[in-house]
Amino acid sequence: MFGTVPVVSRSLAEYEEIIGAERYAEICRIAEPLRDARVLHLNATALGGGVAEILASLVPLMNDLGLHTEWQVIRGAEEFFNVTKAMHNTLQGMFLPWTPEMREVYNRYTGLNADFFDEEYDFVVIHDPQPAGILGELTQRGREKHGKWIWRCHIDLTDAQPDVWDFLRPLVEDHDAAIFTLEDFVKKDLGGPVVFVIPPAIDPLSLKNSPRDEATVEEVLRRFGLDPARPLLLQVSRFDPWKDPLGVIDAYRIVKQEVPELQLLMVGSMAHDDPEGWSYYERTVRRAGEDYDVHILHNLNGVGNLEVGVFQSAATVIVQKSIKEGFGLTVSEALWKAKPVVAGRAGGIPLQVLPEETGYLVDNVEQCAQQILRLIQNPAEARRLGEAGREHVRRNFLNTRYLADYLRIFNGLATQSADSLRGVAK
């Protein structure tokens, strides 16, 4: 048995007012053939990052619809997560050595985790590279495969380092299906699995995304040394080179020359499967230097989902200056709170930030600063973009749509019906 992650019970009925009765009834209909199916979601961490946030709502909603769904995390020590973080970076385009020693560490921990796979499921969803080798390891041991196995890729493989992808590809090809966030992320040399393309989504009823009253907002801001009366620029993301926190500070400094009262808040989450995070956090703090209007916080400072939601609700402009991105759920979170977003033209962000409609896409520090300043100086435009952004998320990027996508995939794989797969397969 892996580490089982407890989840809070949720009811799909709670979402009916947001999504409408017709969509609610459709989801219930799609779920009916899957009643009593056993489902396992397996990933590397229960805290930090978009995958954990997605599963925290997806798993209980599947259970509410009659599926027996579990969320478990694999086991690993620092040496394993150092290797998988390197895999993550190289698969997103960074060049790093991929050595026999790294492959040995990955394979050794894959074997250890395969030892814990002691139950049978109708559907097993493997999230990202960390647990991708478990199915192949079980097959090599002569274990009969039960149910359908799905590999869910949350990262951008467009510029994947060839030797790392060559290592990962056969592990993925053991699966019955593979899910990617964007069509552009699908590797053309991937053979075997049925390929699906579905973007992820946010939970509008989570603690982070629920509305907050003004008194709570002001109390939280003051607790962390922020002035509610001054403009606030915010980025919420891991401390990671792909999120470009250093570039965010540089853009802030350009804007501050025109808006001296501007505050910058950067909030990150330290996940146990991301040992690089502390190093990049320290680099970010050094770049901020002695500027007391730059606030850099993380979950170990007492910043949880409630505080992040408050910061997003209070921000004047929210930035997500990603250089590489899988999807960027923090963008949908910001738009759901009717905030204008300035974001990097990366990964799934352009699906969310529609230029001149819900925010602005930028390619460098100077453009980022220019658009931030434009929104601060034009609050009516900022409101218009934010309101359009909230509706865009309601229609396209809520977890109820994501839930329905998974249910369709399960139904299609269970029946191997072309009609069932049509509309969700690539």
Side-chain angles (χ1 to χ4, degrees), residues 102-159:
M102 296 168 78
R103 293 192 292 271
E104 187 278 329
V105 168
Y106 183 91
N107 289 332
R108 175 156 43 90
Y109 280 90
T110 294
L112 291 172
N113 279 294
D115 292 339
F116 295 115
F117 200 93
D118 54 3
E119 297 191 44
E120 294 183 343
Y121 300 88
D122 297 295
F123 303 98
V124 179
V125 185
I126 299 292
H127 292 267
D128 281 334
Q130 298 95 325
I134 290 176
L135 175 58
E137 177 68 21
L138 293 173
T139 302
Q140 289 181 19
R141 295 179 182 184
R143 176 94 169 261
E144 182 179 355
K145 182 170 77 72
H146 186 274
K148 301 296 184 180
W149 286 61
I150 303 161
W151 185 64
R152 197 340 173 176
C153 180
H154 295 271
I155 57 180
D156 178 355
L157 298 181
T158 307
D159 298 315

CSV table of all heavy atoms in Angstrom, one decimal, residues 102-159:
chain,number,residue,atom,x,y,z
A,102,MET,N,21.6,8.1,-12.5
A,102,MET,CA,20.2,8.7,-12.4
A,102,MET,C,19.2,7.6,-12.8
A,102,MET,O,18.1,7.5,-12.2
A,102,MET,CB,20.1,9.9,-13.2
A,102,MET,CG,21.0,11.1,-12.7
A,102,MET,SD,21.1,12.5,-13.8
A,102,MET,CE,19.5,13.3,-13.4
A,103,ARG,N,19.4,6.9,-13.9
A,103,ARG,CA,18.5,5.9,-14.4
A,103,ARG,C,18.4,4.8,-13.3
A,103,ARG,O,17.3,4.2,-13.1
A,103,ARG,CB,18.9,5.3,-15.7
A,103,ARG,CG,18.8,6.3,-16.8
A,103,ARG,CD,19.0,5.7,-18.2
A,103,ARG,NE,20.3,5.2,-18.4
A,103,ARG,CZ,21.3,5.9,-18.9
A,103,ARG,NH1,21.1,7.2,-19.3
A,103,ARG,NH2,22.5,5.4,-19.1
A,104,GLU,N,19.5,4.4,-12.7
A,104,GLU,CA,19.5,3.4,-11.7
A,104,GLU,C,18.7,3.8,-10.5
A,104,GLU,O,17.9,3.0,-9.9
A,104,GLU,CB,21.0,3.1,-11.3
A,104,GLU,CG,21.1,1.9,-10.3
A,104,GLU,CD,20.8,2.2,-8.9
A,104,GLU,OE1,21.1,3.3,-8.4
A,104,GLU,OE2,20.3,1.3,-8.1
A,105,VAL,N,18.8,5.0,-10.1
A,105,VAL,CA,18.0,5.5,-8.9
A,105,VAL,C,16.5,5.5,-9.3
A,105,VAL,O,15.7,5.0,-8.5
A,105,VAL,CB,18.4,7.0,-8.5
A,105,VAL,CG1,17.4,7.6,-7.6
A,105,VAL,CG2,19.8,7.0,-7.9
A,106,TYR,N,16.2,5.9,-10.4
A,106,TYR,CA,14.8,5.9,-10.9
A,106,TYR,C,14.2,4.5,-10.9
A,106,TYR,O,13.2,4.2,-10.3
A,106,TYR,CB,14.6,6.5,-12.2
A,106,TYR,CG,13.2,6.6,-12.7
A,106,TYR,CD1,12.4,7.7,-12.4
A,106,TYR,CD2,12.6,5.5,-13.4
A,106,TYR,CE1,11.0,7.8,-12.8
A,106,TYR,CE2,11.2,5.6,-13.8
A,106,TYR,CZ,10.5,6.7,-13.5
A,106,TYR,OH,9.2,6.7,-13.9
A,107,ASN,N,15.0,3.6,-11.5
A,107,ASN,CA,14.5,2.2,-11.6
A,107,ASN,C,14.5,1.5,-10.2
A,107,ASN,O,13.5,0.7,-10.0
A,107,ASN,CB,15.5,1.4,-12.5
A,107,ASN,CG,15.3,1.8,-14.0
A,107,ASN,OD1,14.3,2.3,-14.4
A,107,ASN,ND2,16.4,1.7,-14.7
A,108,ARG,N,15.4,1.8,-9.3
A,108,ARG,CA,15.4,1.2,-8.0
A,108,ARG,C,14.1,1.6,-7.2
A,108,ARG,O,13.5,0.8,-6.6
A,108,ARG,CB,16.7,1.6,-7.3
A,108,ARG,CG,16.7,1.1,-5.8
A,108,ARG,CD,18.2,1.0,-5.3
A,108,ARG,NE,19.0,2.1,-5.7
A,108,ARG,CZ,19.1,3.2,-5.0
A,108,ARG,NH1,18.5,3.4,-3.9
A,108,ARG,NH2,19.9,4.2,-5.4
A,109,TYR,N,13.8,2.9,-7.2
A,109,TYR,CA,12.6,3.3,-6.5
A,109,TYR,C,11.3,2.9,-7.2
A,109,TYR,O,10.3,2.7,-6.5
A,109,TYR,CB,12.7,4.9,-6.3
A,109,TYR,CG,13.5,5.3,-5.2
A,109,TYR,CD1,14.9,5.5,-5.4
A,109,TYR,CD2,13.0,5.3,-3.9
A,109,TYR,CE1,15.7,5.9,-4.3
A,109,TYR,CE2,13.8,5.7,-2.8
A,109,TYR,CZ,15.2,6.0,-3.0
A,109,TYR,OH,16.0,6.3,-2.0
A,110,THR,N,11.4,2.8,-8.5
A,110,THR,CA,10.2,2.2,-9.2
A,110,THR,C,10.0,0.8,-8.7
A,110,THR,O,8.8,0.4,-8.5
A,110,THR,CB,10.5,2.2,-10.7
A,110,THR,OG1,10.5,3.5,-11.2
A,110,THR,CG2,9.3,1.5,-11.5
A,111,GLY,N,11.0,0.0,-8.6
A,111,GLY,CA,10.9,-1.4,-8.0
A,111,GLY,C,10.3,-1.4,-6.6
A,111,GLY,O,9.5,-2.2,-6.3
A,112,LEU,N,10.8,-0.5,-5.8
A,112,LEU,CA,10.3,-0.4,-4.4
A,112,LEU,C,8.9,0.0,-4.4
A,112,LEU,O,8.1,-0.6,-3.6
A,112,LEU,CB,11.2,0.6,-3.6
A,112,LEU,CG,12.6,0.3,-3.3
A,112,LEU,CD1,13.3,1.5,-2.7
A,112,LEU,CD2,12.7,-0.9,-2.4
A,113,ASN,N,8.5,0.9,-5.2
A,113,ASN,CA,7.0,1.3,-5.3
A,113,ASN,C,6.2,0.2,-5.9
A,113,ASN,O,5.0,0.0,-5.4
A,113,ASN,CB,6.9,2.6,-6.0
A,113,ASN,CG,7.2,3.8,-5.1
A,113,ASN,OD1,6.5,4.1,-4.2
A,113,ASN,ND2,8.3,4.5,-5.5
A,114,ALA,N,6.7,-0.5,-6.8
A,114,ALA,CA,5.9,-1.7,-7.3
A,114,ALA,C,5.6,-2.7,-6.3
A,114,ALA,O,4.6,-3.4,-6.3
A,114,ALA,CB,6.7,-2.3,-8.5
A,115,ASP,N,6.5,-2.8,-5.3
A,115,ASP,CA,6.2,-3.7,-4.2
A,115,ASP,C,5.0,-3.4,-3.4
A,115,ASP,O,4.3,-4.2,-2.8
A,115,ASP,CB,7.4,-3.7,-3.2
A,115,ASP,CG,8.7,-4.3,-3.8
A,115,ASP,OD1,8.6,-5.1,-4.7
A,115,ASP,OD2,9.8,-4.0,-3.3
A,116,PHE,N,4.6,-2.1,-3.4
A,116,PHE,CA,3.5,-1.6,-2.6
A,116,PHE,C,2.2,-1.7,-3.4
A,116,PHE,O,1.1,-1.5,-2.9
A,116,PHE,CB,3.6,-0.2,-2.2
A,116,PHE,CG,4.8,0.1,-1.3
A,116,PHE,CD1,5.9,0.8,-1.6
A,116,PHE,CD2,4.8,-0.5,0.0
A,116,PHE,CE1,6.9,1.0,-0.8
A,116,PHE,CE2,5.8,-0.3,0.9
A,116,PHE,CZ,6.9,0.4,0.5
A,117,PHE,N,2.3,-2.1,-4.7
A,117,PHE,CA,1.0,-2.1,-5.5
A,117,PHE,C,0.4,-3.5,-5.3
A,117,PHE,O,0.8,-4.5,-6.0
A,117,PHE,CB,1.3,-1.9,-7.0
A,117,PHE,CG,0.1,-1.5,-7.8
A,117,PHE,CD1,-0.1,-0.2,-8.0
A,117,PHE,CD2,-0.7,-2.5,-8.3
A,117,PHE,CE1,-1.3,0.2,-8.7
A,117,PHE,CE2,-1.9,-2.1,-9.0
A,117,PHE,CZ,-2.1,-0.8,-9.2
A,118,ASP,N,-0.5,-3.6,-4.4
A,118,ASP,CA,-1.0,-4.9,-3.9
A,118,ASP,C,-2.5,-5.0,-4.1
A,118,ASP,O,-3.1,-6.0,-3.5
A,118,ASP,CB,-0.6,-5.1,-2.4
A,118,ASP,CG,-1.1,-4.0,-1.5
A,118,ASP,OD1,-1.7,-3.0,-2.0
A,118,ASP,OD2,-0.8,-4.0,-0.3
A,119,GLU,N,-3.2,-4.2,-4.8
A,119,GLU,CA,-4.6,-4.3,-5.1
A,119,GLU,C,-4.9,-4.1,-6.6
A,119,GLU,O,-4.1,-3.8,-7.3
A,119,GLU,CB,-5.4,-3.2,-4.3
A,119,GLU,CG,-5.2,-3.3,-2.7
A,119,GLU,CD,-6.2,-2.5,-2.0
A,119,GLU,OE1,-7.4,-2.4,-2.4
A,119,GLU,OE2,-5.7,-1.8,-1.0
A,120,GLU,N,-6.2,-4.4,-6.9
A,120,GLU,CA,-6.6,-4.4,-8.3
A,120,GLU,C,-7.6,-3.3,-8.5
A,120,GLU,O,-8.5,-3.1,-7.6
A,120,GLU,CB,-7.1,-5.7,-8.8
A,120,GLU,CG,-6.1,-6.8,-8.8
A,120,GLU,CD,-6.6,-8.1,-9.4
A,120,GLU,OE1,-7.9,-8.3,-9.4
A,120,GLU,OE2,-5.8,-9.0,-9.7
A,121,TYR,N,-7.6,-2.6,-9.6
A,121,TYR,CA,-8.5,-1.5,-9.9
A,121,TYR,C,-9.0,-1.6,-11.3
A,121,TYR,O,-8.3,-2.2,-12.2
A,121,TYR,CB,-7.7,-0.1,-9.7
A,121,TYR,CG,-7.2,0.1,-8.4
A,121,TYR,CD1,-5.9,-0.4,-8.0
A,121,TYR,CD2,-8.0,0.7,-7.4
A,121,TYR,CE1,-5.4,-0.2,-6.7
A,121,TYR,CE2,-7.5,0.9,-6.1
A,121,TYR,CZ,-6.2,0.5,-5.8
A,121,TYR,OH,-5.7,0.7,-4.5
A,122,ASP,N,-10.1,-1.0,-11.6
A,122,ASP,CA,-10.7,-0.9,-12.9
A,122,ASP,C,-9.9,0.1,-13.7
A,122,ASP,O,-9.8,0.0,-15.0
A,122,ASP,CB,-12.2,-0.6,-12.9
A,122,ASP,CG,-12.9,-1.7,-12.2
A,122,ASP,OD1,-13.0,-2.9,-12.7
A,122,ASP,OD2,-13.5,-1.5,-11.1
A,123,PHE,N,-9.5,1.2,-13.1
A,123,PHE,CA,-8.8,2.3,-13.8
A,123,PHE,C,-7.7,2.8,-12.8
A,123,PHE,O,-7.9,3.1,-11.7
A,123,PHE,CB,-9.7,3.5,-14.1
A,123,PHE,CG,-10.9,3.1,-15.0
A,123,PHE,CD1,-12.1,2.8,-14.4
A,123,PHE,CD2,-10.8,2.9,-16.3
A,123,PHE,CE1,-13.2,2.4,-15.1
A,123,PHE,CE2,-11.9,2.5,-17.1
A,123,PHE,CZ,-13.1,2.3,-16.5
A,124,VAL,N,-6.5,2.9,-13.4
A,124,VAL,CA,-5.3,3.4,-12.6
A,124,VAL,C,-4.8,4.6,-13.4
A,124,VAL,O,-4.5,4.5,-14.6
A,124,VAL,CB,-4.2,2.4,-12.5
A,124,VAL,CG1,-3.0,3.0,-11.7
A,124,VAL,CG2,-4.7,1.1,-11.7
A,125,VAL,N,-4.8,5.8,-12.8
A,125,VAL,CA,-4.3,7.0,-13.4
A,125,VAL,C,-3.0,7.4,-12.8
A,125,VAL,O,-2.9,7.7,-11.6
A,125,VAL,CB,-5.3,8.2,-13.2
A,125,VAL,CG1,-4.8,9.4,-14.0
A,125,VAL,CG2,-6.7,7.8,-13.7
A,126,ILE,N,-1.9,7.3,-13.6
A,126,ILE,CA,-0.6,7.6,-13.2
A,126,ILE,C,-0.2,9.0,-13.6
A,126,ILE,O,-0.3,9.4,-14.7
A,126,ILE,CB,0.4,6.6,-13.8
A,126,ILE,CG1,0.1,5.2,-13.4
A,126,ILE,CG2,1.8,7.0,-13.5
A,126,ILE,CD1,0.3,4.8,-12.0
A,127,HIS,N,0.1,9.9,-12.6
A,127,HIS,CA,0.3,11.3,-12.9
A,127,HIS,C,1.8,11.6,-13.0
A,127,HIS,O,2.6,11.4,-12.0
A,127,HIS,CB,-0.3,12.1,-11.8
A,127,HIS,CG,-1.8,12.1,-11.7
A,127,HIS,ND1,-2.6,13.0,-12.4
A,127,HIS,CD2,-2.7,11.2,-11.2
A,127,HIS,CE1,-3.9,12.7,-12.2
A,127,HIS,NE2,-3.9,11.6,-11.5
A,128,ASP,N,2.2,12.0,-14.2
A,128,ASP,CA,3.6,12.5,-14.4
A,128,ASP,C,4.6,11.5,-14.4
A,128,ASP,O,4.3,10.3,-14.2
A,128,ASP,CB,3.9,13.7,-13.5
A,128,ASP,CG,3.2,15.0,-14.1
A,128,ASP,OD1,3.0,15.1,-15.3
A,128,ASP,OD2,2.9,15.9,-13.3
A,129,PRO,N,5.9,11.8,-14.6
A,129,PRO,CA,7.0,10.8,-14.7
A,129,PRO,C,7.3,10.0,-13.5
A,129,PRO,O,7.8,8.8,-13.6
A,129,PRO,CB,8.2,11.7,-15.1
A,129,PRO,CG,7.7,12.9,-15.7
A,129,PRO,CD,6.4,13.2,-14.9
A,130,GLN,N,7.1,10.5,-12.3
A,130,GLN,CA,7.6,9.9,-11.1
A,130,GLN,C,7.1,8.4,-11.0
A,130,GLN,O,7.9,7.5,-10.7
A,130,GLN,CB,7.3,10.7,-9.8
A,130,GLN,CG,7.9,12.1,-9.8
A,130,GLN,CD,6.9,13.1,-10.3
A,130,GLN,OE1,6.1,12.9,-11.2
A,130,GLN,NE2,7.0,14.3,-9.7
A,131,PRO,N,5.8,8.1,-11.1
A,131,PRO,CA,5.4,6.7,-11.0
A,131,PRO,C,5.2,6.0,-12.3
A,131,PRO,O,4.6,4.9,-12.4
A,131,PRO,CB,4.0,6.9,-10.3
A,131,PRO,CG,3.6,8.3,-10.5
A,131,PRO,CD,4.7,9.0,-11.1
A,132,ALA,N,5.7,6.6,-13.4
A,132,ALA,CA,5.4,6.1,-14.8
A,132,ALA,C,5.9,4.7,-15.0
A,132,ALA,O,5.4,4.0,-15.9
A,132,ALA,CB,5.9,7.0,-15.9
A,133,GLY,N,6.9,4.2,-14.3
A,133,GLY,CA,7.5,2.9,-14.6
A,133,GLY,C,6.9,1.8,-13.8
A,133,GLY,O,7.3,0.6,-14.0
A,134,ILE,N,5.9,2.0,-13.0
A,134,ILE,CA,5.4,1.0,-12.1
A,134,ILE,C,4.7,-0.1,-12.9
A,134,ILE,O,4.9,-1.3,-12.7
A,134,ILE,CB,4.4,1.6,-11.1
A,134,ILE,CG1,5.3,2.4,-10.1
A,134,ILE,CG2,3.6,0.5,-10.4
A,134,ILE,CD1,4.4,3.1,-9.0
A,135,LEU,N,3.9,0.2,-13.9
A,135,LEU,CA,3.2,-0.8,-14.7
A,135,LEU,C,4.2,-1.7,-15.4
A,135,LEU,O,4.0,-2.9,-15.4
A,135,LEU,CB,2.3,-0.1,-15.7
A,135,LEU,CG,1.6,-1.1,-16.7
A,135,LEU,CD1,0.7,-2.1,-16.0
A,135,LEU,CD2,0.7,-0.3,-17.7
A,136,GLY,N,5.2,-1.1,-16.0
A,136,GLY,CA,6.2,-1.9,-16.7
A,136,GLY,C,7.0,-2.9,-15.7
A,136,GLY,O,7.3,-4.0,-16.1
A,137,GLU,N,7.2,-2.4,-14.5
A,137,GLU,CA,7.9,-3.2,-13.5
A,137,GLU,C,7.0,-4.4,-13.1
A,137,GLU,O,7.5,-5.5,-13.0
A,137,GLU,CB,8.2,-2.3,-12.3
A,137,GLU,CG,8.8,-3.1,-11.1
A,137,GLU,CD,10.2,-3.6,-11.4
A,137,GLU,OE1,10.9,-3.1,-12.3
A,137,GLU,OE2,10.7,-4.6,-10.7
A,138,LEU,N,5.7,-4.1,-12.9
A,138,LEU,CA,4.8,-5.2,-12.6
A,138,LEU,C,4.7,-6.2,-13.7
A,138,LEU,O,4.7,-7.5,-13.5
A,138,LEU,CB,3.4,-4.6,-12.3
A,138,LEU,CG,3.3,-3.8,-11.0
A,138,LEU,CD1,1.9,-3.1,-11.0
A,138,LEU,CD2,3.6,-4.6,-9.8
A,139,THR,N,4.7,-5.8,-15.0
A,139,THR,CA,4.6,-6.7,-16.1
A,139,THR,C,5.9,-7.5,-16.2
A,139,THR,O,5.8,-8.8,-16.4
A,139,THR,CB,4.5,-5.9,-17.4
A,139,THR,OG1,3.3,-5.1,-17.3
A,139,THR,CG2,4.4,-6.8,-18.6
A,140,GLN,N,7.1,-7.0,-15.9
A,140,GLN,CA,8.3,-7.7,-15.9
A,140,GLN,C,8.3,-8.8,-14.9
A,140,GLN,O,8.9,-9.9,-15.0
A,140,GLN,CB,9.5,-6.8,-15.8
A,140,GLN,CG,9.8,-5.9,-16.9
A,140,GLN,CD,11.0,-5.0,-16.7
A,140,GLN,OE1,11.8,-5.3,-15.8
A,140,GLN,NE2,11.1,-4.0,-17.5
A,141,ARG,N,7.6,-8.6,-13.8
A,141,ARG,CA,7.5,-9.5,-12.7
A,141,ARG,C,6.5,-10.6,-13.0
A,141,ARG,O,6.3,-11.5,-12.2
A,141,ARG,CB,7.2,-8.8,-11.4
A,141,ARG,CG,8.2,-7.9,-10.9
A,141,ARG,CD,7.8,-7.2,-9.6
A,141,ARG,NE,8.8,-6.2,-9.2
A,141,ARG,CZ,8.7,-5.6,-8.0
A,141,ARG,NH1,7.6,-5.8,-7.2
A,141,ARG,NH2,9.6,-4.7,-7.6
A,142,GLY,N,5.8,-10.6,-14.1
A,142,GLY,CA,4.8,-11.6,-14.5
A,142,GLY,C,3.5,-11.3,-13.9
A,142,GLY,O,2.6,-12.2,-13.9
A,143,ARG,N,3.3,-10.1,-13.4
A,143,ARG,CA,2.0,-9.7,-12.8
A,143,ARG,C,1.0,-9.4,-13.9
A,143,ARG,O,1.3,-8.6,-14.8
A,143,ARG,CB,2.2,-8.5,-11.9
A,143,ARG,CG,0.9,-8.0,-11.3
A,143,ARG,CD,0.6,-8.5,-9.9
A,143,ARG,NE,-0.4,-7.8,-9.3
A,143,ARG,CZ,-0.2,-6.8,-8.4
A,143,ARG,NH1,1.0,-6.5,-8.0
A,143,ARG,NH2,-1.3,-6.1,-7.8
A,144,GLU,N,-0.2,-10.1,-13.9
A,144,GLU,CA,-1.2,-9.9,-14.9
A,144,GLU,C,-1.8,-8.5,-14.7
A,144,GLU,O,-2.2,-8.1,-13.5
A,144,GLU,CB,-2.3,-10.9,-14.7
A,144,GLU,CG,-3.4,-10.8,-15.8
A,144,GLU,CD,-4.4,-11.8,-15.7
A,144,GLU,OE1,-4.3,-12.8,-14.8
A,144,GLU,OE2,-5.4,-11.8,-16.4
A,145,LYS,N,-1.9,-7.7,-15.8
A,145,LYS,CA,-2.4,-6.4,-15.7
A,145,LYS,C,-3.9,-6.4,-15.5
A,145,LYS,O,-4.6,-7.1,-16.3
A,145,LYS,CB,-2.1,-5.5,-16.9
A,145,LYS,CG,-2.6,-4.1,-16.9
A,145,LYS,CD,-2.0,-3.3,-18.0
A,145,LYS,CE,-2.7,-3.5,-19.3
A,145,LYS,NZ,-4.0,-3.0,-19.3
A,146,HIS,N,-4.5,-5.7,-14.5
A,146,HIS,CA,-5.9,-5.7,-14.3
A,146,HIS,C,-6.4,-4.2,-14.6
A,146,HIS,O,-5.8,-3.3,-14.1
A,146,HIS,CB,-6.2,-6.1,-12.9
A,146,HIS,CG,-7.7,-6.2,-12.6
A,146,HIS,ND1,-8.5,-5.1,-12.2
A,146,HIS,CD2,-8.6,-7.2,-12.7
A,146,HIS,CE1,-9.7,-5.5,-12.1
A,146,HIS,NE2,-9.8,-6.7,-12.4
A,147,GLY,N,-7.4,-4.1,-15.3
A,147,GLY,CA,-8.0,-2.8,-15.5
A,147,GLY,C,-7.3,-2.0,-16.6
A,147,GLY,O,-6.4,-2.5,-17.2
A,148,LYS,N,-7.7,-0.8,-16.7
A,148,LYS,CA,-7.1,0.1,-17.7
A,148,LYS,C,-6.1,1.1,-17.0
A,148,LYS,O,-6.5,1.7,-16.0
A,148,LYS,CB,-8.2,0.9,-18.5
A,148,LYS,CG,-9.1,0.0,-19.2
A,148,LYS,CD,-8.5,-0.8,-20.3
A,148,LYS,CE,-9.5,-1.6,-21.1
A,148,LYS,NZ,-8.9,-2.3,-22.2
A,149,TRP,N,-4.9,1.3,-17.6
A,149,TRP,CA,-3.9,2.2,-17.0
A,149,TRP,C,-3.8,3.4,-17.9
A,149,TRP,O,-3.6,3.3,-19.1
A,149,TRP,CB,-2.6,1.5,-16.9
A,149,TRP,CG,-2.5,0.5,-15.8
A,149,TRP,CD1,-3.3,-0.7,-15.6
A,149,TRP,CD2,-1.7,0.5,-14.6
A,149,TRP,NE1,-3.0,-1.3,-14.5
A,149,TRP,CE2,-2.0,-0.7,-13.8
A,149,TRP,CE3,-0.7,1.3,-14.2
A,149,TRP,CZ2,-1.3,-1.0,-12.6
A,149,TRP,CZ3,0.0,1.1,-13.0
A,149,TRP,CH2,-0.3,-0.1,-12.3
A,150,ILE,N,-3.8,4.6,-17.3
A,150,ILE,CA,-3.8,5.8,-18.0
A,150,ILE,C,-2.6,6.7,-17.4
A,150,ILE,O,-2.5,6.8,-16.2
A,150,ILE,CB,-5.1,6.6,-17.8
A,150,ILE,CG1,-6.3,5.8,-18.2
A,150,ILE,CG2,-5.1,8.0,-18.4
A,150,ILE,CD1,-7.6,6.2,-17.6
A,151,TRP,N,-1.8,7.2,-18.3
A,151,TRP,CA,-0.7,8.1,-17.9
A,151,TRP,C,-1.2,9.5,-18.2
A,151,TRP,O,-1.5,9.9,-19.3
A,151,TRP,CB,0.6,7.8,-18.7
A,151,TRP,CG,1.7,8.6,-18.2
A,151,TRP,CD1,2.3,8.6,-16.9
A,151,TRP,CD2,2.5,9.6,-18.9
A,151,TRP,NE1,3.3,9.5,-16.8
A,151,TRP,CE2,3.5,10.2,-18.0
A,151,TRP,CE3,2.4,10.1,-20.2
A,151,TRP,CZ2,4.4,11.1,-18.4
A,151,TRP,CZ3,3.3,11.1,-20.6
A,151,TRP,CH2,4.3,11.6,-19.7
A,152,ARG,N,-1.2,10.3,-17.1
A,152,ARG,CA,-1.6,11.7,-17.2
A,152,ARG,C,-0.4,12.6,-17.2
A,152,ARG,O,0.3,12.7,-16.1
A,152,ARG,CB,-2.6,12.1,-16.1
A,152,ARG,CG,-3.5,13.3,-16.2
A,152,ARG,CD,-3.1,14.4,-17.1
A,152,ARG,NE,-4.1,15.4,-17.2
A,152,ARG,CZ,-3.8,16.5,-18.0
A,152,ARG,NH1,-2.7,16.7,-18.6
A,152,ARG,NH2,-4.8,17.5,-18.0
A,153,CYS,N,-0.1,13.3,-18.3
A,153,CYS,CA,1.1,14.2,-18.3
A,153,CYS,C,0.7,15.6,-18.1
A,153,CYS,O,-0.1,16.2,-18.9
A,153,CYS,CB,1.8,14.0,-19.7
A,153,CYS,SG,3.2,15.1,-19.9
A,154,HIS,N,1.2,16.2,-17.0
A,154,HIS,CA,0.8,17.6,-16.7
A,154,HIS,C,1.9,18.6,-17.2
A,154,HIS,O,1.7,19.8,-16.9
A,154,HIS,CB,0.7,17.7,-15.2
A,154,HIS,CG,-0.5,16.9,-14.6
A,154,HIS,ND1,-1.8,17.4,-14.5
A,154,HIS,CD2,-0.5,15.7,-14.2
A,154,HIS,CE1,-2.5,16.5,-14.0
A,154,HIS,NE2,-1.8,15.4,-13.8
A,155,ILE,N,2.9,18.2,-17.9
A,155,ILE,CA,4.0,19.1,-18.2
A,155,ILE,C,4.1,19.2,-19.8
A,155,ILE,O,3.5,18.5,-20.5
A,155,ILE,CB,5.4,18.6,-17.6
A,155,ILE,CG1,5.7,17.2,-18.1
A,155,ILE,CG2,5.3,18.7,-16.1
A,155,ILE,CD1,7.0,16.6,-17.6
A,156,ASP,N,4.9,20.2,-20.2
A,156,ASP,CA,5.1,20.5,-21.6
A,156,ASP,C,6.3,19.7,-22.1
A,156,ASP,O,7.4,20.0,-21.7
A,156,ASP,CB,5.4,22.0,-21.7
A,156,ASP,CG,5.6,22.5,-23.1
A,156,ASP,OD1,5.7,21.7,-24.0
A,156,ASP,OD2,5.8,23.7,-23.3
A,157,LEU,N,6.0,18.8,-23.0
A,157,LEU,CA,7.0,17.9,-23.6
A,157,LEU,C,7.6,18.4,-24.9
A,157,LEU,O,8.3,17.7,-25.6
A,157,LEU,CB,6.5,16.5,-23.8
A,157,LEU,CG,6.0,15.7,-22.5
A,157,LEU,CD1,5.6,14.4,-22.9
A,157,LEU,CD2,7.2,15.7,-21.5
A,158,THR,N,7.2,19.6,-25.3
A,158,THR,CA,7.5,20.1,-26.7
A,158,THR,C,9.0,20.0,-26.9
A,158,THR,O,9.4,19.6,-28.0
A,158,THR,CB,7.0,21.6,-26.8
A,158,THR,OG1,5.7,21.7,-26.5
A,158,THR,CG2,7.2,22.1,-28.2
A,159,ASP,N,9.8,20.5,-26.0
A,159,ASP,CA,11.3,20.5,-26.2
A,159,ASP,C,12.0,19.5,-25.3
A,159,ASP,O,13.1,19.8,-24.8
A,159,ASP,CB,11.8,21.9,-26.0
A,159,ASP,CG,11.2,22.9,-26.9
A,159,ASP,OD1,11.2,22.6,-28.1
A,159,ASP,OD2,10.8,24.0,-26.5
